[in-house]
Amino acid sequence: MAAAPLGAPFTVGFDLDMTLLDTRPGIKATYDAIAAETGVPIDSALVVTRLGPPLETELANWFPADRVDAVADRYRELYVHLAVPACVPLPGAREAVAAVRGHGGRVVVVTGKHGPNARLHLDHVGLDVDALAGSVWARQKGAVLRAEGASVYVGDHLGDITGAHAAGALAVTVATGPYSRAALHTAGADVVLPDLTAFPTWLTTHLLTTPTPV
């Protein structure tokens, strides 16, 4: 487990896309807009089945390397108007955040999404968090989680498991993203939940049965 400073509240990290928020409709609309502007065909329905890795990783499937950065910049501009208003919290998201707070803990969001756009998402749905880190992925998430003293990281992707374990944190996963519960188990998740509606009960049990501070 990651060790928080003595006397500090325990900290739980959450991924954003398909963990806390369903961002698929807006992301699809943004990719469709990029395709229309550039004339490059993009299968946006396929794109939203594999959310998680950085934007540039996905764009590299559709654009040559020398165009990726410019297209990523344009995507992020369009995203503010097309994707942010379309996002909705996933079932149990508000209750999961409230459960951490109810036990005296801190909530941090650690995501591969561009930080300013992640902040717009959280503000749009009214989710209040203690800290936000964007544009980090897999093991990079681990460095942020460790710095925040997070002992639990909740995500939906195999990269989230990697990030949690890189921080020495418990990898709690939800099967609301691209991977099934079986696939998350196989990938080494410490806990697999169907969705965040199960998180408050799990957290209460975890805090009661964990002998050392989480």
Side-chain angles (χ1 to χ4, degrees), residues 34-147:
I34 286 290
E37 282 194 4
T38 62
V40 174
I42 299 174
D43 186 346
S44 59
L46 173 62
V47 169
V48 297
T49 68
R50 55 192 188 196
L51 301 180
L55 170 63
E56 290 80 1
T57 300
E58 181 60 49
L59 288 175
N61 293 315
W62 312 101
F63 294 91
D66 62 353
R67 294 191 65 191
V68 166
D69 287 346
V71 175
D73 288 343
R74 179 57 177 154
Y75 174 98
R76 291 180 176 119
E77 291 174 357
L78 293 170
Y79 192 96
V80 172
H81 307 289
L82 295 176
V84 171
C87 75
V88 294
L90 282 163
R94 296 186 191 281
E95 293 81 2
V97 170
V100 177
R101 292 271 171 68
H103 287 288
R106 296 173 64 246
V107 175
V108 300
V109 169
V110 182
T111 174
K113 187 178 295 300
H114 182 53
N117 286 348
R119 170 55 63 190
L120 290 174
H121 272 302
L122 293 171
D123 291 346
H124 175 73
V125 300
L127 277 180
D128 181 33
V129 302
D130 298 288
L132 166 66
S135 299
V136 288
W137 171 242
R139 292 192 65 84
Q140 295 172 338
K141 291 188 173 188
V144 175
L145 292 165
R146 188 176 292 278

Side-chain angles (χ1 to χ4, degrees), residues 20 29 57 148 185 190:
L20 287 172
T57 300
E148 290 288 344
H185 273 298
D190 299 299

Side-chain angles (χ1 to χ4, degrees), residues 141-159:
K141 291 188 173 188
V144 175
L145 292 165
R146 188 176 292 278
E148 290 288 344
S151 58
V152 174
Y153 184 57
V154 187
D156 65 282
H157 199 282
L158 305 190

